Amino acid sequence: MSAVIVVHGGAWAIPNDLAKASVDGVKAAACEGFAVLQKKGTALDAVESAVRALEDNAVFNAGHGATLNTEGEVEMDAIIMDGKTLACGAVSSVKNIANPVSLARAVMEKTDHVMLTDRGANLFAKTIGVDAVSSEKLVTNYERKEWEKHKNYVTGVKEDFNARWAHDTVGAVAVDYAGNVACATSTGGIRNKMVGRVGDCPAVGCGGYADNLCGAVSCTGHGESILKVTLARLILSHVEQGKSVEVASKISLKYMGERVRGAGGAIVVSPIGQWASTFTTERMAWAAVEKNVLYYGLEPNERRMERLS
Ligand code: ASP
């Protein structure tokens, strides 16, 4: 049984000036998550560590670098799920938290609930000793400028999630040496979203799902579309019907495009280590590590390979 990790840095029309940094960021995060698996860490530890690396990287729209809502504030969502027990934890609309994925994990492990939102999530963070960070630490100059430039949410999203208004969620899926799967997804959402808007990311079965019986998925793309078709669970229901993880992802993304005109992407891993990275937007930065080989890509059908030492 080989351990595998796959990560994504968001499906959207990634501009050329962010392309290299996005690919470098997902490669580094995949290696970080794989190092956890190699030390016999769990899939859950691996996805959390990969997503934390992406949240800390200001190139991506999660944690440091998150997009801003109509009032110019950061409001972030995250989910994590353990395929062994179906335990899951999520947070929505959190502010002043550097790593929402770890707060989601704490919700899963330290409360009787699955999701905490807004002030409640921040209050919980305080009780478990997670330090609040100032918003200014999370907001990059790049994001502040883009937000000033494009104050029109509707036009951006109408262009099939291919406009610069949209931004890149991050996520990871993994299977460990024991055959357990896990997923994690974290996002700042969509630039200029309404205050209080929650997308697909923290909704179980939409932004992510993990079940040792069929696999783990992390999604990215137009959140309202992903919610309507419960994309993560839809992909896994095709896997349950015998489709490969790649075919299941392609069918489900095609369905989302046809049924609700939404574009996006997904990464999937099965309990026996099959994996796929698929998207219907212009680009998606992704990377995977399997048996010491790093795979990565950005353009449709691009798959590059590097042997790790
Ligand atoms: N799915 C995220 C959301 O709608 C955005 C993204 O994936 O870029 O909040």
Side-chain angles (χ1 to χ4, degrees):
M1 167 81 227
S2 70
V4 179
I5 186 154
V6 191
V7 310
H8 70 74
W12 64 297
I14 301 168
N16 290 337
D17 55 340
L18 292 183
K20 184 176 181 311
S22 301
V23 173
D24 289 349
V26 290
K27 283 165 75 178
C31 290
E32 209 160 314
F34 190 67
V36 173
L37 294 174
Q38 266 184 320
K39 285 183 222 133
K40 300 284 182 282
T42 62
L44 199 65
D45 288 338
V47 294
E48 183 188 4
S49 139
V51 167
R52 281 181 69 100
L54 294 162
E55 286 175 337
D56 291 343
N57 185 335
V59 171
F60 301 106
N61 168 26
H64 185 206
T67 52
L68 303 176
N69 65 19
T70 45
E71 293 196 343
E73 292 171 328
V74 167
E75 282 187 323
M76 299 169 294
D77 306 328
I79 189 169
I80 191 161
M81 186 161 182
D82 182 355
K84 192 175 174 185
T85 58
L86 301 192
C88 45
V91 290
S92 63
S93 297
V94 291
K95 307 171 181 82
N96 310 108
I97 298 290
N99 295 107
V101 70
S102 295
L103 187 57
R105 184 166 178 176
V107 171
M108 173 175 101
E109 291 176 341
K110 297 184 174 151
T111 79
D112 294 331
H113 306 305
V114 165
M115 194 190 301
L116 289 179
T117 192
D118 202 355
R119 194 175 76 89
N122 276 86
L123 282 176
F124 170 63
K126 214 169 161 188
T127 64
I128 57 164
V130 173
D131 289 333
V133 290
S134 76
S135 287
E136 284 322 301
K137 268 211 165 147
L138 296 176
V139 182
T140 58
N141 289 339
Y142 176 87
E143 176 54 26
R144 184 66 70 191
K145 277 192 202 136
E146 288 293 299
W147 178 78
E148 291 289 348
K149 239 192 305 181
H150 308 290
K151 285 192 180 163
N152 188 341
Y153 176 86
V154 177
T155 323
V157 173
K158 267 196 183 152
E159 287 172 28
D160 260 349
F161 212 71
N162 283 336
R164 279 170 180 252
W165 281 253
H167 213 303
D168 39 354
T169 289
V170 303
V173 292
V175 55
D176 59 29
Y177 288 106
N180 295 312
V181 300
C183 72
T185 312
S186 179
T187 189
I190 295 180
R191 185 175 297 135
N192 284 310
K193 62 186 181 181
M194 285 174 71
V195 174
R197 176 263 191 192
V198 178
D200 59 296
C201 171
V204 182
C206 298
Y209 199 78
D211 182 351
N212 275 7
L213 299 183
C214 48
V217 181
S218 168
C219 296
T220 167
H222 183 230
E224 283 68 11
S225 302
I226 295 172
L227 280 162
K228 286 173 191 165
V229 303
T230 57
L231 185 60
R233 199 64 194 79
L234 180 64
I235 292 172
L236 290 175
S237 61
H238 285 296
V239 172
E240 285 167 334
Q241 286 159 27
K243 305 268 189 324
S244 72
V245 289
E246 172 138 14
V247 170
S249 310
K250 284 188 173 155
I251 295 176
S252 306
L253 284 165
K254 185 165 180 274
Y255 175 78
M256 187 169 89
E258 289 168 356
R259 191 73 179 84
V260 293
R261 291 185 44 74
I267 49 174
V268 192
V269 73
S270 80
I272 55 163
Q274 290 167 338
W275 60 272
S277 167
T278 316
F279 54 97
T280 50
T281 49
E282 263 176 53
R283 285 172 160 173
M284 181 176 87
W286 64 271
V289 187
E290 180 188 14
K291 294 190 182 117
N292 267 354
V293 180
L294 172 66
Y295 300 87
Y296 60 96
L298 178 76
E299 311 287 348
N301 302 318
E302 178 187 15
R303 183 188 278 213
R304 295 177 187 271
M305 240 176 93
E306 271 171 33
R307 204 156 284 281
L308 300 174
S309 48

